[in-house]
Amino acid sequence: MRRSMALVILGCVAAVVLVPTALQAGETSRKPKLPAACADAFSSAEDAFSSFDEVFGAPGDSEDLGILGDVIGALSAGDTADAELDDLSAAANDGQSSEIDFFASLDTCLDKVRT
């Protein structure tokens, strides 16, 4: 009888100590999921950065001067640079659209994360 009582008490103490620890471990292992609007914001930001890189060249690459460098090179050579200016305009428009999408998605993301 004494042995049974000791085992029951030991079991209760172990349960009191181990169950909350196990529950906390389960909670911390779950990663919070971001709303889809946040993923959209990251995608739009990446698009905007890509457009910026297309216009001004890739960071750290001294060989890639981007579309703006092509325009300057063509004008310096005495060419009209019409094709380059069209490319520059298209890249700038893409970047502006991506920026607008980014801020709209960011606002939606922040609203969903706050609630």
Side-chain angles (χ1 to χ4, degrees), residues 52-63:
F52 185 79
D53 290 346
E54 189 175 339
V55 170
F56 293 102
D61 186 357
S62 61
E63 302 271 324

Side-chain angles (χ1 to χ4, degrees), residues 61-73:
D61 186 357
S62 61
E63 302 271 324
D64 182 14
L65 300 177
I67 297 171
L68 191 58
D70 294 341
V71 169
I72 293 169

Side-chain angles (χ1 to χ4, degrees), residues 46-56 90-92 94-96 98:
E46 181 64 33
D47 291 344
F49 285 128
S50 295
S51 295
F52 185 79
D53 290 346
E54 189 175 339
V55 170
F56 293 102
D94 289 345
Q96 287 178 335
S98 297

